[in-house]
Amino acid sequence: RPVVVFLGLVPFYPRANWRHYQFLVEGLPVLAERLARRGVGFVLRRYPDHRLLPLVAEVRPCLLVGDENPLRETETWREHVAAQLAVPFFTVDADVVVPTALISREQFAARTLRPRIHRLLPTYLVPGKEPVARRRWPPAPALPGLDPRGDLLAGWGPEGTRFDRSVAPVAGFRGGAAEGEALLERFIRERLDGYHHRRNRPELPGTSQLSPYLHFGQLGPRQVALAVGGAEAPAADREAFLEELIVRRELAVNYVVHNPNYDRLAGCEAWARRSLAEHARDPRLALLSEERLEAGESPDPLWNAAQRQMVETGWMHGYLRMYWAKRLLEWTASPEEAFDLAVRMNDRYELDGRDPNGYAGIAWAIGGKHDRAWGPERPIFGKVRYMSYASTSRKFDAASYIEAHAPRAPS
Ligand code: FAD
């Protein structure tokens, strides 16, 4: 049978804005070209013609294959479609190296997941076959669809379509598999050697910045892991990278798959919630409004620089993401509020936001998820691991980082 890929673009995907959509649509021309090279069709439609079931009626497929994604919105969509189909519907877990279904329970920490993952890697961390379709698409007459090189966001927002144009696209990241592959190659050539030491130095270009490409599926974790695993860099650097890319990332997916409260404080560890509740009435130095925090106007110059890096470039260095989320506990009235605000800002501004990694990262920073209780007990934080300005800024050249993300003079 011939194969066709369908994408239905809607303007109201939950918590997605212009910044995210721009990155997504930038990736579509190269996707269409690569599918064509493999004899596979690509039908692109947009709201209000975005629905899958009418296409199913047109094509009358013998089989439907979808992507797996653990977030609640997409899970609900798949269940809705599955209930109306008369043909088999398979989903493929291409978002992880080791299929999620093989890790049965919510894992307590990286140390409980790591041996399970490592046992299964020889089976799953192998090159894909990349087959070419024997019966080529398209059929005659061709199905109606849009040109992926067209202006696919034209006419969306501000009225009528619920399209959020309030967050502008960023110049520093261009979407698409080819762009992601070029970044991966450059990372391996220039920065993988030394990653182990440099990855916690936000003032240096040390990490891969591949997270937006992984989030949008423009790169796959298996593809990245095979490239890094086969590179010439020292073993300690390759292993440190693969620990983040596979173990930490798949721990986040495991958390979202098994924990219905993944984006709320309620999903966090009982000891941490208890301890935070015991300190909920501790005095805060200052309660800051969401507007002031969004604008990077806290009393902490390092936090403000991190916030600006996220708002202006669409990506924040990983070391500072931990500090950034934790400090919110000190400027909000309750840990629930800190958690919800971290989720809102992370999802809104990060190109890689709205991702299991984000929810797990915030749960780690604010709710002790995948972490342990720490002593001595601190005001506000209780037993949740504390990061102070002094201890955090000592570990790298904070002054250079703050300078690099200083507010720009109005032009
Ligand atoms: P690299 O160091 O080059 O790592 C390579 C890849 O490994 C990353 O692209 C990512 O996919 C994965 N990875 C790295 N660190 C982690 C980690 N701690 N947990 C899980 N996977 C990891 N990541 C997101 O993708 N989206 C988010 O919205 C997000 N929000 C976060 C919020 C907080 C509060 C915290 C503490 C972490 C968050 N992370 C998030 C995880 C991590 O910080 C980023 O994935 C990483 O900084 C992205 O930069 P990079 O691609 O240069 O990472």
Side-chain angles (χ1 to χ4, degrees):
R1 298 285 179 177
V3 182
V4 62
V5 169
F6 172 66
L7 187 109
L9 204 57
V10 293
F12 41 71
Y13 190 89
R15 297 185 308 285
N17 56 51
W18 189 15
R19 173 172 294 180
H20 306 119
Y21 274 102
Q22 181 67 27
F23 191 87
L24 173 100
V25 299
E26 280 167 359
L28 297 182
V30 71
L31 174 66
E33 280 160 30
R34 290 183 180 192
L35 289 171
R37 257 188 262 148
R38 292 170 66 174
V40 174
F42 182 49
V43 172
L44 173 63
R45 293 178 184 172
R46 58 173 222 160
Y47 176 83
D49 303 315
H50 62 285
R51 293 189 185 284
L52 173 66
L53 290 171
L55 183 89
V56 168
E58 288 165 68
V59 174
R60 294 194 294 117
C62 59
L63 171 70
L64 192 68
V65 181
D67 191 22
E68 230 168 84
N69 173 327
L71 300 185
R72 66 176 75 85
E73 291 86 6
T74 42
E75 262 306 300
T76 316
W77 288 1
R78 270 187 298 277
E79 277 164 22
H80 174 76
V81 164
Q84 300 183 60
L85 283 173
V87 293
F89 180 20
F90 289 83
T91 57
V92 181
D93 204 3
D95 182 42
V96 282
V97 176
V98 172
T100 315
L102 298 185
I103 312 288
S104 54
R105 275 190 306 253
E106 184 178 345
Q107 295 297 304
F108 188 66
R111 70 172 185 284
T112 64
L113 178 67
R114 192 175 297 113
R116 292 176 163 85
I117 292 266
H118 280 274
R119 226 180 3 256
L120 292 163
L121 280 184
T123 309
Y124 292 101
L125 190 52
V126 291
K129 294 202 177 71
E130 312 259 317
V132 171
R134 241 178 273 157
R135 292 198 53 191
R136 301 184 75 85
W137 191 269
L143 295 178
L146 297 166
D147 181 348
R149 289 157 306 184
D151 181 358
L152 297 170
L153 308 180
W156 278 1
E159 283 129 36
T161 52
R162 286 185 279 152
F163 185 70
D164 178 3
R165 279 200 186 258
S166 66
V167 183
V170 288
F173 288 95
R174 197 178 155 75
E179 298 282 337
E181 284 161 6
L183 194 60
L184 171 61
E185 266 176 42
R186 205 157 63 238
F187 170 68
I188 290 176
R189 211 172 46 240
E190 297 170 4
R191 303 206 293 271
L192 179 58
D193 190 336
Y195 173 84
H196 186 43
H197 302 292
R198 274 201 311 270
R199 71 197 176 91
N200 285 341
R201 301 276 307 269
E203 81 282 24
L204 302 176
T207 65
S208 69
Q209 297 198 306
L210 292 175
S211 50
Y213 299 92
L214 286 160
H215 170 78
F216 282 91
Q218 295 171 348
L219 290 179
R222 183 175 62 167
Q223 172 191 14
V224 176
L226 287 170
V228 167
E232 278 172 13
D237 294 318
R238 284 182 282 134
E239 281 160 20
F241 184 86
L242 295 177
E243 164 75 10
E244 301 299 331
L245 176 75
I246 305 178
V247 176
R248 299 281 161 174
R249 191 168 172 278
E250 297 188 12
L251 182 63
V253 173
N254 167 272
Y255 163 60
V256 168
V257 166
H258 293 284
N259 192 321
N261 287 315
Y262 60 77
D263 53 355
R264 300 177 196 121
L265 188 64
C268 295
E269 297 307 317
W271 65 261
R273 283 186 283 128
R274 223 174 11 249
S275 186
L276 289 167
E278 281 163 13
H279 289 270
R281 285 164 188 254
D282 292 355
R284 270 67 178 158
L285 268 183
L287 287 182
L288 301 177
S289 68
E290 184 160 349
E291 290 70 35
R292 282 194 61 196
L293 288 166
E294 285 225 340
E297 291 173 4
S298 82
D300 174 349
L302 181 57
W303 192 91
N304 295 344
Q307 174 76 6
R308 276 194 295 270
Q309 181 178 33
M310 173 179 75
V311 170
E312 287 166 18
T313 73
W315 182 87
M316 187 198 297
H317 192 283
Y319 184 60
L320 285 173
R321 292 191 198 210
M322 304 189 264
Y323 178 70
W324 172 86
K326 282 178 182 290
R327 286 234 73 177
L328 290 174
L329 275 170
E330 296 176 81
W331 301 321
T332 45
S334 70
E336 286 81 7
E337 203 181 311
F339 199 106
D340 294 348
L341 179 58
V343 166
R344 270 202 302 284
M345 291 203 287
N346 194 81
D347 281 356
R348 183 166 159 78
Y349 293 109
E350 301 280 22
L351 266 177
D352 60 27
R354 308 171 300 117
D355 188 282
N357 272 355
Y359 304 123
I362 292 165
W364 176 88
I366 293 180
K369 191 81 214 170
H370 304 142
D371 203 0
R372 64 174 171 86
W374 289 74
E377 216 163 306
R378 303 250 178 195
I380 303 173
F381 285 80
K383 295 178 187 158
V384 170
R385 186 197 296 244
Y386 178 63
M387 285 172 82
S388 72
Y389 176 81
S391 66
T392 307
S393 58
R394 237 192 343 262
K395 299 211 171 97
F396 66 100
D397 183 357
S400 299
Y401 179 81
I402 292 170
E403 172 66 25
H405 300 288
R408 276 175 290 170
S411 48

